[in-house]
Amino acid sequence: MLRRMTLAACLVTLCPLPTLARDGIFDIAAPFEIKGPDPSLSGDIFLKMDLAETLVNADAEGRLLPGLADRWDLSDDRLSWRFHIRPGVLFHDGTVLTAEAAAEALRIARSREGLLAKAPIAAIEAEGDAVVIALTEPFAALPAFLAEYRSQILAPAAYGPDGQATAVIGTGAFRVTRFAAPSTIEAERFEDYWGGKVALERVTYRAVGRAETRALMAESGDADLVINLDPASVTQLRRVDRVEVLSIPLPRVLLLKLNAGHPFFDTPEERLALSQAIDRAGLAQAVLRYPAAADQMFPPSMPGWHVQGLEPLSHDPEAARAALAAQGWQPGPDGVLEKDGQRFEVELVTYPDRPELPLTAAVLQQMFAGIGVAATINSTNSSEIPARHGAGTLQMGLFARNFALVPDPVGTLMQDYAPGGDWGAMGWDNPGFTATVQALARGEGGDAERAGLVATLQDELPVLPIAWYQQTAAVARGVTGAALDPYERSFGLKTMAFSE
């Protein structure tokens, strides 16, 4: 659906760029492929597009807010949560949101691999106008878990007999009119939305993998909102009058995962050596083009988790070479380290969905070569990292991890590091770390315990933090109410409008 003249067409015909036309459709271009209608597959997109919602919401600072549940409370023994369902909410098929519908959606979500499966839940039941969740032990993080995208509530008709969602029938401000995985979602304003009618009438989502193409769409007017811009595109688009470039710090971290069970990485000393080979400041400036060197796991924008005074991760290639020599690694004839007849050759897996990742991989390849480590880059589908993690074949994985998928980062730590998950630590297990994460999830402990977790990650380095992220996007100048969500729960469609 080309509703505007594209930049490519202008270049062919040597015509001037058109003024921004309006047909009532708000177009979004982002790199995230639509994998299917089930929330476990692409629920983050449905949440961002305001197609579906969760019982609990969160604001731009991670504070929990009422969502489809207008209030909740905890029993005196801390073993039962009661979430009162907001009255008067309709699904997009016209059926009423009931406690039973919400409970069944959560039971299905819990049956999948994900956060709810890790929570100490004994039962999820409907009691009158409330969803009651019984626990086997206290779990203060439960409301935050219910804000995660895989906990979104779809209508009973959305699910097939096996519990797999076959359609996106949510309660959001927009209703799906066309679902064409892996590339397109079209939706229209839901006139019966419980939160009131929004300004935008029709919206589309297009999955566009190449950052250059997304930037071209912003520049030509073929998209009104473009998410995840590469640094070169940011520079270019700042000179384009028709768009505004937005940027905001995110609780997202660029990480290099090492298989701590692999003989090349099975000691903290070897992992530290690889960390010392990385010039984080230079890499961040060269690739991301903003100062974002990650000298510890969590960025300053996460004040409850960023630890002031922690000894920072540093760049020291000489110390790296000395540490590897102490572990028995010696340079071979071509400079690549060898030990027990094995060359220090590894595969670094990453993916191009985020354009900075292959570039970062190339820079890391050069930095590792400087200490005698030969890395071969495999830029493939993002699903390969968790797949190879599960199969035990991953050596290195370069990826970006959002610690705000759950408004309380302890949820992501539970999923990734306590004791592990397919996007987190591999071949690493620290019982004390796991126990502390679980205690925080129960509501026990505070700043000292969080600082202890960060110190453990800094000491043992199951993953290597490289850079802290900013989110960048381009929005058409003819759009009002645009703002980026640092927790990446929403594109902000409910507050946007075309200016008159």
Side-chain angles (χ1 to χ4, degrees), residues 55 68-73 82-87 129-131:
L55 291 187
L68 293 179
D70 57 8
R71 61 185 185 274
W72 53 89
D73 54 67
R82 187 177 188 88
F83 296 87
H84 182 264
I85 298 300
R86 184 182 298 275
D129 54 6
V131 173

Side-chain angles (χ1 to χ4, degrees), residues 100-271:
E100 179 52 43
E104 180 59 17
L106 293 177
R107 286 191 289 263
I108 291 172
R110 186 183 172 223
S111 71
R112 305 277 192 266
E113 286 291 328
L115 284 177
L116 282 187
K118 293 180 177 291
I121 295 174
I124 304 174
E125 303 292 344
E127 291 185 7
D129 54 6
V131 173
V132 177
I133 301 181
L135 305 174
T136 59
E137 63 181 69
F139 193 65
L142 183 63
F145 274 42
L146 295 181
E148 200 244 359
Y149 70 85
R150 285 172 291 191
S151 298
Q152 65 191 240
I153 308 300
L154 299 184
Y159 299 99
D162 60 353
Q164 192 81 7
T166 59
V168 183
I169 308 174
T171 58
F174 296 93
R175 181 182 71 87
V176 173
T177 57
R178 178 171 176 257
F179 189 94
S183 62
T184 304
I185 296 175
E186 297 176 5
E188 64 184 7
R189 181 171 64 198
F190 183 45
E191 302 295 339
D192 295 319
Y193 179 54
W194 64 267
K197 188 166 68 173
V198 298
L200 296 177
E201 297 178 6
R202 297 166 64 194
V203 296
T204 67
Y205 174 91
R206 284 181 276 179
V208 180
R210 290 183 59 82
E212 300 91 336
T213 304
R214 295 196 302 276
L216 192 65
M217 293 171 70
E219 186 172 353
S220 66
D222 283 330
D224 300 298
L225 177 66
V226 171
I227 303 294
N228 279 30
L229 297 170
D230 66 300
S233 296
V234 170
T235 301
Q236 171 63 23
L237 290 174
R238 289 193 190 279
R239 298 193 290 262
V240 177
D241 290 338
R242 71 170 71 234
V243 301
E244 179 185 4
V245 175
L246 306 177
S247 180
I248 191 171
L250 291 178
R252 180 184 289 278
V253 185
L254 180 62
L255 297 170
L256 181 69
K257 174 162 66 174
L258 306 177
N259 182 352
H262 192 282
F264 293 0
F265 315 118
D266 58 359
T267 67
E269 291 78 13
E270 288 165 318
R271 300 193 292 271

Side-chain angles (χ1 to χ4, degrees), residues 136-480:
T136 59
E137 63 181 69
F139 193 65
L142 183 63
F145 274 42
L146 295 181
E148 200 244 359
Y149 70 85
R150 285 172 291 191
S151 298
Q152 65 191 240
I153 308 300
L154 299 184
Y159 299 99
D162 60 353
Q164 192 81 7
T166 59
V168 183
I169 308 174
T171 58
F174 296 93
R175 181 182 71 87
V176 173
T177 57
R178 178 171 176 257
F179 189 94
S183 62
T184 304
I185 296 175
E186 297 176 5
E188 64 184 7
R189 181 171 64 198
F190 183 45
E191 302 295 339
D192 295 319
Y193 179 54
W194 64 267
K197 188 166 68 173
V198 298
L200 296 177
E201 297 178 6
R202 297 166 64 194
V203 296
T204 67
Y205 174 91
R206 284 181 276 179
V208 180
R210 290 183 59 82
E212 300 91 336
T213 304
R214 295 196 302 276
L216 192 65
M217 293 171 70
E219 186 172 353
S220 66
D222 283 330
D224 300 298
L225 177 66
V226 171
I227 303 294
N228 279 30
L229 297 170
D230 66 300
S233 296
V234 170
T235 301
Q236 171 63 23
L237 290 174
R238 289 193 190 279
R239 298 193 290 262
V240 177
D241 290 338
R242 71 170 71 234
V243 301
E244 179 185 4
V245 175
L246 306 177
S247 180
I248 191 171
L250 291 178
R252 180 184 289 278
V253 185
L254 180 62
L255 297 170
L256 181 69
K257 174 162 66 174
L258 306 177
N259 182 352
H262 192 282
F264 293 0
F265 315 118
D266 58 359
T267 67
E269 291 78 13
E270 288 165 318
R271 300 193 292 271
L272 176 60
L274 287 171
S275 175
Q276 290 171 326
I278 302 172
D279 178 2
R280 291 170 169 82
L283 188 155
Q285 197 61 51
V287 176
L288 302 177
R289 300 189 188 177
Y290 52 81
D295 57 17
Q296 59 176 278
M297 176 70 87
F298 299 108
S301 60
M302 300 177 69
W305 290 86
H306 182 80
V307 179
Q308 298 290 343
L310 185 69
E311 184 177 353
L313 298 173
S314 62
H315 176 222
D316 193 341
E318 289 187 11
R321 286 188 283 267
L324 290 173
Q327 293 293 315
W329 291 100
Q330 296 298 323
D334 59 356
V336 176
L337 297 176
E338 296 180 350
K339 177 183 176 180
D340 299 330
Q342 287 188 302
R343 287 164 55 85
F344 207 136
E345 295 178 316
V346 293
E347 181 184 48
L348 195 167
V349 179
T350 191
Y351 50 93
D353 301 28
R354 294 187 174 276
E356 71 280 359
L357 293 182
L359 294 174
T360 298
V363 175
L364 290 175
Q365 184 183 50
Q366 295 177 8
M367 292 177 176
F368 290 152
I371 63 168
V373 174
T376 300
I377 299 170
N378 180 4
S379 184
T380 181
N381 296 325
S382 59
S383 59
E384 282 297 299
I385 290 179
R388 295 188 185 204
H389 179 126
T393 59
L394 185 71
Q395 294 178 317
M396 286 182 172
L398 180 66
F399 60 97
R401 190 58 164 159
N402 184 355
F403 284 93
L405 291 173
V406 180
D408 185 343
V410 74
T412 306
L413 288 177
M414 279 191 70
Q415 184 169 333
D416 290 358
Y417 301 95
D422 54 13
W423 283 105
M426 182 177 181
W428 178 80
D429 185 11
N430 183 309
F433 186 94
T434 299
T436 301
V437 170
Q438 292 173 345
L440 286 171
R442 290 193 299 269
E444 302 165 6
D447 290 344
E449 285 71 22
R450 286 190 289 269
L453 294 178
V454 175
T456 297
L457 293 174
Q458 194 90 332
D459 290 340
E460 300 194 16
L461 292 174
V463 297
L464 308 185
I466 296 173
W468 299 316
Y469 265 83
Q470 292 180 7
Q471 174 65 283
T472 52
V475 63
R477 290 278 184 188
V479 173
T480 62

